[in-house]
Amino acid sequence: MKANGQVKLEMKEISIAFPGVQALSGVNFQMQSGTSHALIGANGAGKSTLMKVLAGAYDHYTGTIELDGEPLQIRKPKDAKDSGIQIVYQEVDMLLVPNLSVAENILLERLVHDSKDKTWVKWRKIHRDAAAIMQQIGFTLPTGKLVQELTLAEKQLVLIARAISKECKFLILDEPTAPLSDSETSRLFALIERLKKEGVGIIFISHRLPELFQICDDITILRDGKLVISAPINTMDQHQVTQHMLGTQLGGQFPQRTPSIGELAFEAEQIADDDKVHGVSLKVHKGEIVGIAGLVGAGKTELCRILFGAAPKKRGSVRMHGKALQYRTPHEAVAGGLAMIPEERRREGIFVDEIVGVNLTVANLTPHTSMKLWLNKTKERIAANSMIVKLGIKTPSEKTMVANLSGGNQQKIAIGKWLLADAELYIFDEPTKGVDVGAKRDIYNLIAELAAQGKSVIFASSETNEMIGITDRMYVMYDGKVAKELVTDQTNEEEIMFYSTGGQA
C-alpha cells in the first residue's frame, strides 16, 4: 500500500446483461481515493454486478472506466489488480483454497505469479510476510493454520489481508461485516480509517444502514439496475435511504403476530460436539419461533448443523413429538421432518449452476413425479412458479440460472425449496445475512406464516433486534453453551447482549 495522493475513479454509462436479465442500465459511479463510499440497493439492484465489472469479473459490459481521466481497460481480474483495484467478495469460501495455510492464501498471487525462481519457495519468508500483513490490519492468526479450520470471520480477514498485500488504490468490500463480531467490526472500521489516511479509497457494500452512516463519506443508491442518487451521506437519513432503495415507504419491518403455541414438537437434550457446542438443551413447540441468540463464534451455526445432521454429534439426544430421532446425515434428518436454511447459502443451500425451478423442487421430488418414478416437468414447473410468486423472487422465469440472481433472491430460493418439502421443524441460520431491508421483511413474513401454520421454527441470529422482532422465546448462547433462556416479550436488546457477552446475573 502506498500513499498516492487523491485520484478520481469514474465509471460511465455502465450497462451489462445476462440471459434474461438486464443487470445494469447506463449506471454512473465516481469517487475519490482516500474516502469511503457506500454502495447500496435492494437485492437485485445491481450493486454487486457494478463492482464485479470494476473488479474485472465480467468482460461483456458497455461503458467506460477511468482513473484521473485516463481510460482503464478492465476486462479481467488482473487488469483491475494492475490498476490498484482490489475486491473482497461476500462469499469467502469461493475464493480461498481450504487445504492451504493462512500464509499461502494471503500470498497466493505472489506464489503463483511473482516468484522468479519457480523451484524453491522461501517458506519462512512467506510466513513472516503474511504475519506482518495480518499485524498491519490489526488481527492475528496462526499463519500455518489451514483455511478449512478457520471460522467464517477468520476467512474474511484472510481475504482482506490478501487484498491489501499488493498496492491498493481502491478496495471494494462486499458485506464485510456480515460474519464479524462487534469487536471484529470495530477493528475493521479502524483499519478502514487507516487505509483512508494512506490514500486508499473504500467502496463499502452493506445492508446494515447504521454502519454505513458510521464509516462512509458518500453514498450511491441503485434500484433495478439504475442509478437513483449519489450524494454525501450526511445529506440524508436512514429512512430516506430506505425509501430511495425501495422506491416506496417501508412499513413495519417485523410482522404483527398472534402466536398460537401448541404442544411440544421438538426437543434436544445435552447436544455436544466437544468443540464448539457443549451440552445444549432446547425445546420448540408447534407454532413457536424459538431464537438462538449470541455473537459470532458463540456456537449458533455449529448447533444448527448438529441438529440437522450436517455435523457430527458426540453426545445428546433428539426427539420429535416425543419419539426419539436417530440420524447422522441431513438426508436422514429430512426424513425425520427437519429442514435447514444454512448461513452459507451458496456453498450449502443452493445449486448455483442449476436453474431456479430445479433448486425449488429438489428437496422433495415425489409430488412432482408420475407414478413416483418419472419426473413430471409440468408439475415441477407449476410448483416452482407458485413458489416464485409466493416468495416474490425476482427472476425472468423458473429456467433462469440461480448464479445470475442476487444474493437476496438466492436466499429466498434456499428457503423456498424447504417450503415445498413441508417439514415439521425449520432451522434458519442467519437467514437475513446479506439481504436488503425489503427482502428481510419478506423472510420475516415467511417465517411468521410457517409458525401460523403450526410449524416449529428455530431462528439463529446474531442480530438482537431480530430476536426481539420475530421470536417468541430464545436461548442466548455464549462459548458453546446456553447462557440464558428468555421470553421475548419479557426482555430487551440490552439483556440479550448482556448474556451474549458472558454476563452473569
Side-chain angles (χ1 to χ4, degrees), residues 167-438:
E167 181 177 353
C168 182
K169 296 176 183 175
F170 292 92
L171 177 62
I172 306 163
L173 300 176
D174 190 357
E175 293 287 349
T177 62
L180 302 183
S181 66
D182 289 342
S183 61
E184 289 166 334
T185 296
S186 296
R187 283 188 283 174
L188 174 64
F189 287 175
L191 168 62
I192 288 173
E193 292 298 338
R194 289 204 303 272
L195 292 175
K196 286 166 61 176
K197 290 178 181 178
E198 294 178 14
V200 179
I202 307 293
I203 303 174
F204 200 93
I205 303 174
S206 176
H207 293 299
R208 297 178 175 179
L209 298 186
E211 66 186 26
L212 296 181
F213 282 84
Q214 178 182 347
I215 199 67
C216 294
D217 303 305
D218 303 287
I219 187 169
T220 292
I221 302 174
L222 303 182
R223 185 172 68 243
D224 297 329
K226 299 177 181 178
L227 174 67
V228 176
I229 189 172
S230 188
I233 199 166
N234 60 11
T235 62
M236 62 183 76
D237 58 30
Q238 292 185 34
H239 293 291
Q240 290 172 315
V241 170
T242 300
Q243 188 172 352
H244 282 307
M245 285 172 58
L246 302 178
T248 182
Q249 292 281 359
L250 180 66
Q253 188 177 24
F254 297 103
Q256 295 294 321
R257 298 177 56 230
T258 304
S260 179
I261 298 174
E263 63 186 22
L264 180 63
F266 180 81
E267 188 174 8
E269 288 189 358
Q270 296 298 312
I271 301 298
D273 65 358
D274 291 339
D275 183 19
K276 300 289 187 180
V277 181
H278 309 288
V280 173
S281 298
L282 59 86
K283 297 180 180 180
V284 191
H285 294 76
K286 294 184 65 174
E288 186 180 30
I289 302 174
V290 172
I292 307 294
L295 301 178
V296 173
K300 303 184 306 298
T301 291
E302 290 80 6
L303 174 63
C304 291
R305 288 174 57 80
I306 293 170
L307 293 178
F308 190 58
K313 176 173 89 270
K314 292 293 181 65
R315 293 189 308 279
S317 61
V318 174
R319 290 188 293 275
M320 181 76 79
H321 301 303
K323 182 181 179 181
L325 288 182
Q326 301 291 339
Y327 56 87
R328 294 186 177 183
T329 65
H331 176 75
E332 293 172 341
V334 171
L338 281 69
M340 178 175 167
I341 293 82
E343 178 182 16
E344 299 184 60
R345 56 177 172 261
R346 286 183 66 90
R347 189 162 66 93
E348 299 176 339
I350 53 175
F351 297 108
V352 293
D353 295 323
E354 282 288 356
I355 63 172
V356 173
V358 168
N359 272 272
L360 286 172
T361 57
V362 70
N364 186 14
L365 291 174
T366 302
H368 320 305
T369 59
S370 298
M371 301 175 63
K372 296 186 179 181
L373 293 175
W374 297 281
L375 185 63
N376 187 312
K377 290 292 185 180
T378 300
K379 289 183 179 180
E380 184 184 36
R381 185 174 64 254
I382 292 172
N385 281 318
S386 69
M387 192 56 63
I388 289 170
V389 173
K390 181 177 181 178
L391 300 184
I393 298 171
K394 292 183 179 180
T395 177
S397 76
E398 83 282 354
K399 296 181 180 180
T400 301
M401 296 293 291
V402 170
N404 292 334
L405 302 183
S406 69
N409 286 302
Q410 290 177 356
Q411 185 72 317
K412 289 182 180 181
I413 291 170
I415 295 172
K417 73 176 185 182
W418 292 117
L419 298 184
L420 284 174
D422 194 30
E424 292 293 318
L425 173 74
Y426 289 83
I427 303 171
F428 291 85
D429 184 15
E430 299 283 1
T432 63
K433 189 183 82 172
V435 302
D436 67 77
V437 289

Side-chain angles (χ1 to χ4, degrees), residues 289-293 304 426-432 443-444 447 457-461 463 466-467 470-471:
I289 302 174
V290 172
I292 307 294
C304 291
Y426 289 83
I427 303 171
F428 291 85
D429 184 15
E430 299 283 1
T432 63
I443 291 171
Y444 297 144
I447 292 171
V457 176
I458 291 176
F459 185 96
S461 174
E463 303 288 338
E466 289 189 328
M467 288 292 112
I470 194 65
T471 70

Side-chain angles (χ1 to χ4, degrees), residues 2 19 52 105 128 135 142 163 185 230 238 318 394 462 488:
K2 297 180 181 178
K52 286 180 179 179
N105 271 276
R128 186 169 60 249
Q135 185 177 15
T185 296
S230 188
Q238 292 185 34
V318 174
K394 292 183 179 180
S462 56
T488 302

